[in-house]
Amino acid sequence: MRPVGVAGLGLLGAVVFVAAFGPVLWGDQATVVDTGNLLAGPSAQHWIGTDNLGRDLFARVLVAARLSILLALAATAISLVLGIVLGAAPVLVGRRTGRFITSAVNVLVAFPGLLLVLFFAVVFGVGARGAALAVGLAGAPAFARLCHTLVAAVSERDYIAAARIAGVSRIRILLRHVLPNIAEPLVVNATMAAGGVLLTFAGLSFLGLGVQAPDYDWGKLMQDGLNGIYVHPLAALGPGIAVVLAGLAFNLTGEAFAAAPGRVRPLGPARGPSVRTAPVPGAVLSVDDLRVTMPGPVHAVRGVTFTVGEGEAVGLVGESGSGKSVTALAVAGLLEPPVRVEANHLVVAGEEDHRRLGTSLAVVFQDPMTSFNPAHRVGPQLAEVSRFHQGMSRRTAFARAVDRLRAVRIREPERRARQYPFEFSGGMRQRAMIGMGLMGNPRLIVADEPTTALDVTVQRQVLELLAEVRRETGAALLLISHDVSVVTDVCDRVLVMYAGRVVEELPAGDLRARARHPYTRALVAAVPDLETDLDRPLAVIPGLPVDPMSAPAGCAFAPRCPLADDHCRAVAPPLLAGVACHKTAEVRV
Amino acid sequence: MSVLSFHEVSVRYGAHTVLNGVSLEVPAGRTVGLVGESGCGKSTLARAAVGLAPVTGGHILLDGRPVPNRGRRPVQMVFQDPYSSLDPRMTVGESIAEALPERLPKKARQAEIARLLALVHLDAARAGDLPGRLSGGQRQRVALARALAARPEVILADEITSALDVSVQGAVLNLIRDMRRDLGLSMLFISHDLAVVRYVADHVAVLHDGEIVEQGPTARVLGDPRHDYTRHLLAAALPLKEQT
């Protein structure tokens, strides 16, 4: 935990202790009337002086902690509960009434909080209870707004729909499914709000609307001390400091909670390249012993060596977690610390530095919805590449962008270049993305699942476009896909990855019938096509994929492999003659 | 064993028509495949049948009576995304128990959960796990078990394998076929993947722009397509090299 969190929790602990035991420990001291010391200044006996009855102010500040904190917590609780009820209205009372309540809340949020507090304080009358209600009600709209947003996000989840279909009542859905899943941010927010509420309360008591004599909280003490502020400033400042400290305690604790999730142990420094090797001559992409480690540590890629020749199309196949996409990102130089990338060499078009993206290297990502900035027009986003890398003027770069959009067969490229990404369909966006890669003169195109998010009919067009671009520019292609049929359609050569390693390398034409690794064969057999035998069950791969946190010492596929023996489980097979398996002799081709 | 039938069902959101007069029947004990591209209204049709999408025209009937859209539905649905279809804070057993039609004493409930998990080929010990400990394929099987727990007459499977890895997809498809054979369930199986639909469905309907353009026995529709759009879909599903 960071120092801020430690300080916050320590402070909160102290505040809670004082609130719990203050009246017991210092209660008597706070009520002792010392007529010889009326309105005295600070002394060794009375650290911050005495009040108009000669009572010790320091003791009174400590004793006041309980009432101040309790009132703040009560008001926060009122805000929270009311906020949850109002915010969850769309779940509880249905869409139409819910929309009305949400609008009402939105109007209330627009009112200044203090105005609401004063309004309610007058309505409920002066006194501690009235003030708690006033502050609680005034805080409710903000919580309701937050809650509404959180609830809306959770309500979209399919498990809520499933619960509705299963006949679970609305209240039970709220209590069992919605609230537990939004509790974390709500608690964090409530903690921070409690700090603010404390301040508001002090303000109300200070104005005389809050706690009334003979009770006293920090606000009341401040009000009492204000009369003598020029003579004995500490009498007013003392309770003020208490408010600040308690408020800080709440806020810092909230901050610490808010920052807590998602923190992982950072990786140690890279060991440094053990060996430097020379790239394979004539290859557009040459990678030797690529290792990628993510914080955790997760060994996503565990020693991958391959090349892509000039103009060649190489496919990288594997299931989720096999490390294929991470390999692609490492090739594109898009991985940054805390992810650690090591290799004996990783050379694209003769260059080893990471500035190759946009010039000799183009990347097409999976999700055409997120690969463009939605706030900018498509043309300028393409043009930016040439302005940055080739130093073109705005006008020439835009002209090239239009030309490139035409090259990826987007109709009316002049008009389309002036449109925003949302005006493009998914397939068109993916074309435009390829067009962006063609702004430079790419020698290698890395396409990471470029058609996975697209419909079959559009998928076909994008694959054809990639093939056409390769024919025209002579660029090589590294195609990453989980789809065996896409890879066999497009590529010359295929690398099959499992658990961060290449387990087999073979010509694409051999993938279906002549694969030698048991995993490759199982992977191909598991996909039904339009000729699959309908009378037999589909082939399946038993067991579970490897947990990348704990990759085994031997062959990673051994636990799922029908041929595996103790040797397989103990010794990792090297990639020999295109296959990494001890049992290739036993696999009948 | 029941018949789910859609009669001239339309769904409109404002001026936007998602479904336009769709008529489709899921016969008792049969699996009907529904294919089409994203945005054609496949999921909306299923959601309309369980009251998650507003029906603006037509009727959805179960054995001739309107499908109730309050309380426990006799039509249950399994969703596409295995990572969003289970509450991350409820154990597998709790999620399944929630869909059970009656409150059972603890022993009987555990036995029922074990029976349902066995139906989807999962170990009864999984009941105590949170979804975070399960793979995508296992989650999808739990979602199926939850749907079965509600004793449905009909199951709607909305792209249940498209978010899964291929090695896992096979196991789920085998399970779907086993369930039809052993439990005699009626099912509407929605998918964009023709090969997958061909493997599990007896009948297939092709949805395009909110309208059904062709339907019939799977072998006939895929072997001898009569509508241009069906031919277009089939052509896209064939390998690239075989075409040229």
Side-chain angles (χ1 to χ4, degrees):
Chain A
M1 190 175 270
R2 293 175 309 167
V4 173
V6 176
L9 275 180
L11 213 50
L12 191 66
V15 169
V16 168
F17 176 83
V18 171
F21 300 105
V24 185
L25 294 176
W26 301 287
D28 295 335
Q29 207 182 332
T31 46
V32 173
V33 177
D34 181 356
T35 40
N37 259 326
L38 298 182
L39 291 173
S43 62
Q45 202 183 353
H46 307 291
W47 288 359
I48 57 171
T50 59
D51 67 0
N52 52 2
L53 289 175
R55 294 174 293 198
D56 180 53
L57 274 176
F58 187 67
R60 286 175 79 77
V61 168
L62 291 178
V63 172
R66 179 184 280 183
L67 187 60
S68 304
I69 301 287
L70 278 183
L71 283 175
L73 290 182
T76 310
I78 292 173
S79 299
L80 189 61
V81 171
L82 212 56
I84 289 174
V85 171
L86 289 176
V91 177
L92 285 176
V93 296
R95 206 163 283 229
R96 202 157 301 178
T97 326
R99 196 175 297 163
F100 173 75
I101 294 178
T102 308
S103 316
V105 165
N106 286 345
V107 171
L108 282 175
V109 170
F111 278 94
L114 195 63
L115 195 69
L116 284 181
V117 172
L118 291 176
F119 171 74
F120 284 125
V122 171
V123 171
F124 293 117
V126 291
R129 184 184 303 169
L133 280 170
V135 176
L137 285 185
F143 268 109
R145 191 76 197 82
L146 171 74
C147 212
H148 175 72
T149 314
L150 293 171
V151 168
V154 173
S155 303
E156 294 293 305
R157 301 300 227 150
D158 288 337
Y159 57 81
I160 304 284
R164 278 176 62 190
I165 300 171
V168 180
S169 71
R170 282 169 170 170
I171 296 202
R172 275 179 76 82
I173 287 182
L174 181 69
L175 294 180
R176 294 194 63 176
H177 293 289
V178 179
L179 286 186
N181 284 299
I182 64 171
E184 238 167 88
L186 270 188
V187 167
V188 168
N189 226 273
T191 319
M192 296 200 188
V197 166
L198 197 72
L199 202 64
T200 314
F201 250 106
L204 273 190
S205 293
F206 182 77
L207 291 176
L209 290 169
V211 176
Q212 303 296 313
D215 292 331
Y216 54 97
D217 69 345
W218 288 330
K220 181 88 173 67
L221 289 178
M222 279 196 280
Q223 186 199 21
D224 294 346
L226 188 72
N227 299 331
I229 185 109
Y230 296 113
V231 191
H232 304 303
L234 270 181
L237 288 182
I241 291 168
V243 170
V244 169
L245 284 179
L248 268 179
F250 282 117
N251 276 330
L252 292 181
T253 311
E255 291 272 1
F257 276 132
R263 279 175 65 82
V264 276
R265 205 157 45 86
L267 291 171
R271 276 166 296 163
S274 41
V275 215
R276 298 299 306 172
T277 48
V280 175
V284 172
L285 169 67
S286 178
V287 180
D288 185 14
D289 199 20
L290 174 70
R291 283 151 287 145
V292 181
T293 316
M294 314 209 178
V298 176
H299 301 280
V301 178
R302 306 183 294 145
V304 164
T305 303
F306 67 99
T307 59
V308 177
E310 197 77 52
E312 196 186 13
V314 173
L316 208 51
V317 203
E319 299 184 86
S320 44
S322 64
K324 56 185 193 309
S325 289
V326 178
T327 305
L329 290 174
V331 166
L334 288 173
L335 293 176
E336 289 177 347
V339 178
R340 195 166 73 196
V341 181
E342 295 161 283
N344 293 347
H345 70 250
L346 199 172
V347 174
V348 179
E351 289 175 73
E352 190 140 14
D353 78 16
H354 286 257
R355 287 288 184 81
R356 49 196 174 233
L357 188 58
T359 51
S360 57
L361 177 72
V363 180
V364 183
F365 294 103
Q366 171 174 359
D367 189 355
M369 299 302 176
T370 55
S371 46
F372 279 101
N373 183 339
H376 293 278
R377 294 170 205 271
V378 173
Q381 288 194 59
L382 263 68
E384 203 179 11
V385 178
S386 288
R387 291 179 60 203
F388 182 74
H389 287 289
Q390 285 122 26
M392 284 189 189
S393 72
R394 189 182 293 260
R395 189 177 294 253
T396 27
F398 189 80
R400 179 158 174 86
V402 170
D403 178 62
R404 296 291 85 185
L405 286 178
R406 189 177 293 120
V408 292
R409 285 192 269 151
I410 283 179
R411 265 177 250 163
E412 303 178 71
E414 291 88 357
R415 187 173 68 86
R416 286 294 186 178
R418 289 184 173 81
Q419 286 185 330
Y420 287 95
F422 73 85
E423 294 171 273
F424 280 48
S425 69
M428 268 169 55
R429 245 178 274 191
Q430 211 56 317
R431 286 156 178 281
M433 195 68 206
I434 297 173
M436 186 188 268
L438 295 180
M439 291 299 286
N441 292 307
R443 307 265 308 279
L444 175 68
I445 301 171
V446 176
D448 184 5
E449 303 264 10
T451 59
T452 307
L454 304 176
D455 279 315
V456 272
T457 48
V458 187
Q459 201 168 356
R460 171 56 55 89
Q461 296 164 7
V462 170
L463 290 178
E464 277 167 1
L465 177 66
L466 274 175
E468 192 184 300
V469 163
R470 280 182 51 225
R471 270 199 304 278
E472 282 169 13
T473 63
L477 174 69
L478 180 64
L479 178 72
I480 287 85
S481 182
H482 70 284
D483 190 335
V484 173
S485 57
V486 165
V487 171
T488 37
D489 281 355
V490 176
C491 297
D492 309 317
R493 196 154 51 89
V494 176
L495 303 168
V496 182
M497 283 189 77
Y498 187 77
R501 288 209 171 117
V502 173
V503 295
E504 185 161 14
E505 178 176 353
L506 73 174
D510 288 354
L511 191 60
R512 281 199 190 277
R514 280 193 288 277
R516 288 182 293 159
H517 197 286
Y519 175 66
T520 316
R521 296 170 70 86
L523 194 63
V524 172
V527 189
D529 60 25
L530 291 174
E531 273 100 50
T532 306
D533 185 354
L534 293 180
D535 299 323
R536 287 169 44 195
L538 285 172
V540 296
I541 306 176
L544 290 179
V546 177
D547 177 7
M549 297 279 275
S550 56
C555 172
F557 188 59
R560 306 172 76 183
C561 179
L563 302 173
D565 56 20
D566 288 344
H567 181 60
C568 296
R569 280 182 277 273
V571 182
L575 188 69
L576 289 176
V579 61
C581 179
H582 296 302
K583 296 284 176 185
T584 24
E586 290 175 34
V587 178
R588 265 174 280 118
V589 174
Chain B
M1 199 90 45
S2 302
V3 184
L4 178 69
S5 48
F6 298 85
H7 294 284
E8 297 289 323
V9 171
S10 297
V11 172
R12 285 189 192 84
Y13 290 100
H16 183 57
T17 302
V18 184
L19 289 174
N20 190 13
V22 169
S23 294
L24 179 68
E25 183 165 288
V26 183
R30 289 314 191 64
T31 302
V32 173
L34 183 63
V35 296
E37 297 183 69
S38 53
C40 73
K42 297 185 304 253
S43 296
T44 308
L45 190 66
R47 297 179 79 88
V50 290
L52 293 176
V55 178
T56 42
H59 311 279
I60 304 174
L61 303 176
L62 184 69
D63 291 334
R65 285 187 300 277
V67 183
N69 57 7
R70 301 190 148 260
R72 188 176 57 87
R73 323 282 208 272
V75 177
Q76 288 288 316
M77 184 162 170
V78 182
F79 298 87
Q80 173 172 6
D81 182 2
Y83 294 91
S84 137
S85 64
L86 296 177
D87 188 331
R89 287 169 202 267
M90 276 168 77
T91 64
V92 166
E94 286 168 349
S95 280
I96 295 175
E98 194 175 60
L100 289 173
E102 66 276 330
R103 288 188 77 85
L104 297 168
K106 197 172 177 211
K107 270 267 170 56
R109 192 171 64 225
Q110 279 169 347
E112 177 68 2
I113 290 169
R115 185 186 72 85
L116 289 161
L117 286 175
L119 276 181
V120 295
H121 306 321
L122 281 176
D123 193 35
R126 287 285 175 203
D129 283 352
L130 285 173
R133 295 176 58 93
L134 304 184
S135 70
Q138 288 176 326
R139 286 171 196 231
Q140 230 30 348
R141 285 192 244 171
V142 173
L144 261 172
R146 176 180 55 194
L148 292 175
R151 312 254 168 79
E153 316 274 339
V154 182
I155 284 197
L156 311 171
D158 184 9
E159 296 270 12
I160 58 170
T161 62
S162 61
L164 302 178
D165 269 318
V166 283
S167 68
V168 184
Q169 168 179 293
V172 174
L173 293 179
N174 286 340
L175 174 65
I176 294 284
R177 300 220 323 177
D178 291 353
M179 276 173 28
R180 180 187 48 179
R181 195 188 55 221
D182 301 341
L183 309 176
L185 280 171
S186 320
M187 180 177 296
L188 182 65
F189 187 91
I190 299 171
S191 177
H192 68 280
D193 189 333
L194 289 178
V196 164
V197 167
R198 172 180 170 274
Y199 192 69
V200 296
D202 313 293
H203 279 68
V204 65
V206 182
L207 194 62
H208 180 50
D209 276 347
E211 294 181 29
I212 289 191
V213 296
E214 180 162 8
Q215 59 176 312
T218 309
R220 206 281 293 152
V221 173
L222 300 187
D224 174 28
R226 290 180 191 157
H227 194 276
D228 280 346
Y229 181 71
T230 316
R231 280 195 278 273
H232 184 56
L233 272 184
L234 268 169
L238 283 172
L240 201 63
K241 277 169 189 165
E242 285 176 25
Q243 280 200 314
T244 46

